[in-house]
Amino acid sequence: MIVRIAQYSGKRRLLLGIASIAAVLLAQQALTMFAHGRLTFLLIGASLPLVTLLFGALSGALLLGCGVAFGSLWMEPIGKLPVNGREDQIVLFAFLVVGGLLVAAGHQLAKVAKRAGMAEAAAHDAAARLLRVERDARHRFDVALNSAGVPFCILTPVVRDGKVAELRWDYLNAAAAQLFSQPAAVVIGSSTSYLRPAGWDADVLFDRLAPLASGGGRDAFDVRVEGDNGERWFHVVAASLEGSIVAWFGDITPRVQAEQALSNADRRKDEFLATLAHELRNPLAPIRQVAEILEQAGVTDERRRWCINVLRRQSAAMALLLDDLLDVSRITRGALTLRKGAVALRDVVDDAVEIARPTLEGKGHELVLDLPARPVHIDVDRLRLAQVLANLLTNAAKYTPPGGHIGLSARADEPEIVLSITDNGIGIEPDTLSAIFSMFSQVNRDHHRQGGLGIGLALSKSLIELHGGQITASSAGKDKGSCFAIHLPTHCKVLPSPIVIRETPAASLTTRKHRILVVDDNVDAADALTALLELEGHEVRTVYSGEEAVDILSHYSPEVILLDLGLPGMSGIDVARQIRKTPSTKDVTVIAITGWGQPQDRARTAQAGFDFHFTKPVDVVLLNEAIGSAFAAA
């Protein structure tokens, strides 16, 4: 209390001193009433040092003065200030001297008390500042760790018999608290063997973190967790800190999933390349063998016709493989566009059945169609939708044992148009059902036996999505068949356009024979095309470079020029431009025969003056129609 009062202001202390002086004088008056004389200064003298100490030297001096006056009034003559008795004068003087000394002593003690009070106040302020700094630091610590969004914790080891017996949670930030099914207040102070994040292995935590508590250092490791939300991965970085362990738990699940996806994609890519090599070798083998047969002497006409059929079938199979690859590439780059138009649903189904018929008949399957009784017309790309349906029918045929049952049904009711292909084949395992539409994925892992690149379903899915629909698959399990369904939005259903009836030509457009120039740097391809055209009765000349083509036009006047684009030196584009600049050849029909079939390639040939654009391998029937139609139009 003395130290606290010493910190009061001078005015406040003086007021308190006057109040205390009044109380002392009243008490002294009461004492003197009963025992006056030598006891006149007893209470005042005893109070002098305390009043001076508490309320300052001014209050002490005032009490001293009041005491002298009070004593004078009670000495002879009583009631008057002058003191006549010698002994009373000595007592009064002695009181004055001793009282002065007491006031001086009290003043010194007051200074000491004031300094002590200042020191105490300074210590209190320092303690308050330290507490505030610590509180602010802890707040910043919490804010920083909580805002990081990465689980962070501090664990304290419990040592028994000189060994770490267990680890206890000492601190959790907000992100770490979310890993527990219990509130953070419950977790803190508990052992890792009793409370830990859901799905975490207590032994893994203890085995990896306990050595840090005793030996110090740093450790980093990955933890796989099986929780309610599936598999998760955490990267744990832990270090020793003054006998405790600090640890960060970074959720690396997206990174691990991305790595697994890349690994799976790389594996599927390798499988795809192996399958592609296999599928390309399949048609190449009979083509090569047929070529060797045709080289033999004495080949009969029947054997030659058989060889021709084999070449056509196998080259068509290779062309389909390449078409699928190109379609996937176009869709991936967003370069494939649909050519929509009103078409009868039955016509699309007929196109698909016709494409898949060889496979269906080859395995002796029964195909049952269930189509709407009334005509239904839809606004779609007829070629692409038929391609998808044919792919699904072919897949059903491949994965159904011989003599199986395959059904194709169509429903055009609200709210969508549904085309379903069902079979009683080998079915699809539940764990692979969700992945069959992925690129390079196959229903049957034994793809070398079934054939195919594993891109058909992925391509079909993309084509249907371009139409604004979706494709789904379902199966009851192994050997229980499967069902693939194409869902098209109801707005695809349209009214048919009026049919324009045209007269059929009385005779074939290709009955007239023409002078033709073939230009291709691939000698085999050029000679083979020349031989085919000669069999049609045309007069054909052949050259193998752009420069030769320009030179021969100076003395040979063809009616049609079949021109390859990728010629060495002078390209086919340059040759076509030269032809169009020359008056004698500017009206010649120029047809591109090339391996380049992208839309931009067709645009280049059109700008260069080509009349038609065919991609290799060219269909001879279509080529003859193009040749004949050019002259029919003239």
Side-chain angles (χ1 to χ4, degrees):
M1 184 183 68
I2 295 173
V3 174
R4 188 176 299 111
I5 293 175
Q7 308 308 308
Y8 292 168
S9 64
K11 183 178 179 180
R12 185 180 181 187
R13 292 175 66 199
L14 179 59
L15 292 174
L16 290 173
I18 293 173
S20 63
I21 290 171
V24 170
L25 290 175
L26 289 174
Q28 182 64 50
Q29 179 65 29
L31 179 62
T32 306
M33 298 254 331
F34 296 100
H36 58 82
R38 295 289 182 261
L39 296 177
T40 301
F41 308 106
L42 179 61
L43 192 55
I44 295 175
S47 302
L48 274 173
L50 182 60
V51 171
T52 305
L53 177 61
L54 289 175
F55 309 114
L58 184 58
S59 297
L62 183 60
L63 180 58
L64 179 60
C66 291
V68 173
F70 188 87
S72 299
L73 291 173
W74 280 95
M75 291 183 178
E76 297 294 340
I78 296 175
K80 295 183 179 182
L81 289 177
V83 179
N84 297 328
R86 181 71 177 170
E87 293 181 359
D88 290 336
Q89 290 177 352
I90 293 172
V91 171
L92 192 61
F93 178 75
F95 173 75
L96 181 62
V97 173
V98 174
L101 293 174
L102 291 175
V103 170
H107 179 61
Q108 294 300 320
L109 288 175
K111 290 182 178 180
V112 174
K114 186 174 183 179
R115 287 195 294 270
M118 293 175 64
E120 182 184 6
H124 179 74
D125 291 343
R129 284 196 300 273
L130 287 175
L131 183 62
R132 187 165 55 254
V133 169
E134 181 182 0
R135 187 165 53 248
D136 292 344
R138 181 60 179 261
H139 177 69
R140 287 194 295 270
F141 178 76
D142 289 338
V143 171
L145 291 177
N146 290 332
S147 63
V150 179
F152 173 81
C153 67
I154 300 177
L155 300 102
T156 301
V158 178
V159 180
R160 298 191 186 99
D161 300 328
K163 295 183 179 180
V164 178
E166 62 178 343
L167 298 174
R168 291 182 180 174
W169 303 103
D170 191 43
Y171 174 83
L172 300 172
N173 69 348
Q178 293 178 358
L179 298 177
F180 292 84
S181 57
Q182 300 288 340
V186 177
V187 176
I188 293 176
S190 61
S191 172
T192 58
S193 59
Y194 294 104
L195 282 177
R196 57 192 176 277
W200 287 60
D201 190 335
D203 294 335
V204 171
L205 283 176
F206 184 82
D207 294 343
R208 299 301 296 259
L209 299 182
L212 299 178
S214 56
R218 181 181 179 276
D219 192 11
F221 55 94
D222 293 338
V223 176
R224 178 180 174 273
V225 178
E226 278 291 348
D228 297 335
N229 298 325
E231 182 184 78
R232 297 179 68 186
W233 285 85
F234 289 87
H235 181 65
V236 182
V237 178
S240 175
L241 179 64
E242 298 179 355
S244 297
I245 304 165
V246 295
W248 294 89
F249 299 88
D251 190 345
I252 58 172
T253 304
R255 190 195 75 187
V256 173
Q257 291 175 343
E259 290 174 351
Q260 291 174 346
L262 287 174
S263 177
N264 292 335
D266 188 61
R267 176 182 53 79
R268 290 198 302 269
K269 178 206 65 176
D270 292 340
E271 292 176 355
F272 164 73
L273 292 176
T275 304
L276 177 60
H278 175 270
E279 292 301 318
L280 289 176
R281 287 191 183 100
N282 276 341
L284 283 176
I287 289 174
R288 182 172 182 177
Q289 293 163 1
V290 165
E292 293 176 354
I293 292 174
L294 292 174
E295 287 180 346
Q296 303 297 322
V299 178
T300 63
D301 292 341
E302 180 181 358
R303 176 63 66 180
R304 184 177 291 104
R305 284 193 297 273
W306 176 84
C307 290
I308 292 172
N309 290 332
V310 170
L311 289 174
R312 285 176 176 171
R313 286 197 303 270
Q314 298 305 322
S315 61
M318 291 184 67
L320 287 175
L321 290 176
L322 295 176
D323 286 342
D324 282 349
L325 289 173
L326 289 175
D327 285 343
V328 169
S329 175
R330 293 188 191 105
I331 291 175
T332 302
R333 292 181 288 108
L336 188 144
T337 56
L338 300 178
R339 296 178 176 86
K340 289 186 176 182
V343 59
L345 178 61
R346 181 173 291 274
D347 289 344
V348 177
V349 172
D350 290 343
D351 291 346
V353 172
E354 188 62 29
I355 296 172
R357 189 180 302 280
T359 306
L360 294 169
E361 293 179 350
K363 298 191 72 173
H365 293 313
E366 177 191 11
L367 176 63
V368 177
L369 300 180
D370 181 13
L371 304 178
R374 296 177 61 185
V376 176
H377 287 76
I378 51 179
D379 183 27
V380 295
D381 187 322
R382 175 175 178 171
L383 176 64
R384 294 302 183 181
L385 183 57
Q387 177 185 355
V388 172
L389 281 173
N391 179 49
L392 296 178
L393 286 171
T394 303
N395 275 351
K398 284 182 179 179
Y399 296 107
T400 299
H405 176 86
I406 297 174
L408 194 163
S409 62
R411 295 290 180 269
D413 303 327
E414 299 291 343
E416 59 185 0
I417 301 167
V418 182
L419 301 167
S420 301
I421 293 89
T422 59
D423 63 67
N424 61 345
I426 64 174
I428 306 171
E429 297 286 356
D431 57 342
T432 61
L433 191 61
S434 60
I436 60 174
F437 291 108
S438 300
M439 189 65 68
F440 312 137
S441 176
Q442 292 184 328
V443 174
N444 191 329
R445 292 295 182 185
D446 187 13
H447 51 270
H448 293 294
R449 180 172 61 85
Q450 299 295 345
L453 297 177
I455 62 177
L457 289 178
L459 176 59
S460 299
K461 177 176 181 289
S462 299
L463 289 173
I464 296 302
E465 288 176 349
L466 286 175
H467 282 85
Q470 62 175 339
I471 184 170
T472 59
S474 60
S475 175
K478 184 178 180 181
D479 298 327
K480 294 183 179 180
S482 59
C483 174
F484 286 82
I486 298 171
H487 303 261
L488 295 174
T490 187
H491 62 73
C492 288
K493 188 176 179 181
V494 296
L495 294 175
S497 301
I499 300 175
V500 178
I501 301 176
R502 296 180 180 176
E503 294 183 359
T504 304
S508 172
L509 294 174
T510 58
T511 55
R512 180 181 171 183
K513 310 307 178 185
H514 305 288
R515 294 187 305 276
I516 300 176
L517 174 63
V518 176
V519 185
D520 198 329
D521 63 315
N522 186 319
V523 176
D524 290 340
D527 292 344
L529 184 56
T530 299
L532 286 172
L533 292 172
E534 287 177 342
L535 290 174
E536 297 288 338
H538 298 295
E539 176 189 330
V540 186
R541 298 283 183 91
T542 308
V543 294
Y544 307 106
S545 69
E547 290 81 3
E548 290 180 279
V550 174
D551 291 338
I552 197 174
L553 290 175
S554 62
H555 57 274
Y556 179 69
S557 300
E559 297 170 298
V560 179
I561 300 176
L562 305 182
L563 183 57
D564 182 30
L565 297 185
L567 299 173
M570 192 174 187
S571 70
I573 295 291
D574 296 331
V575 173
R577 288 171 178 164
Q578 183 66 34
I579 291 172
R580 294 308 181 203
K581 290 179 181 178
T582 305
S584 60
T585 58
K586 64 183 180 65
D587 295 327
V588 172
T589 299
V590 182
I591 301 175
I593 308 292
T594 177
W596 302 100
Q598 300 297 318
Q600 59 268 27
D601 301 319
R602 296 179 181 275
R604 288 175 58 222
T605 53
Q607 292 174 359
F610 284 85
D611 298 296
F612 298 93
H613 185 121
F614 290 95
T615 56
K616 297 177 180 179
V618 65
D619 188 316
V620 178
V621 175
L622 295 178
L623 179 60
N624 280 328
E625 289 181 356
I627 295 172
S629 64
F631 290 93

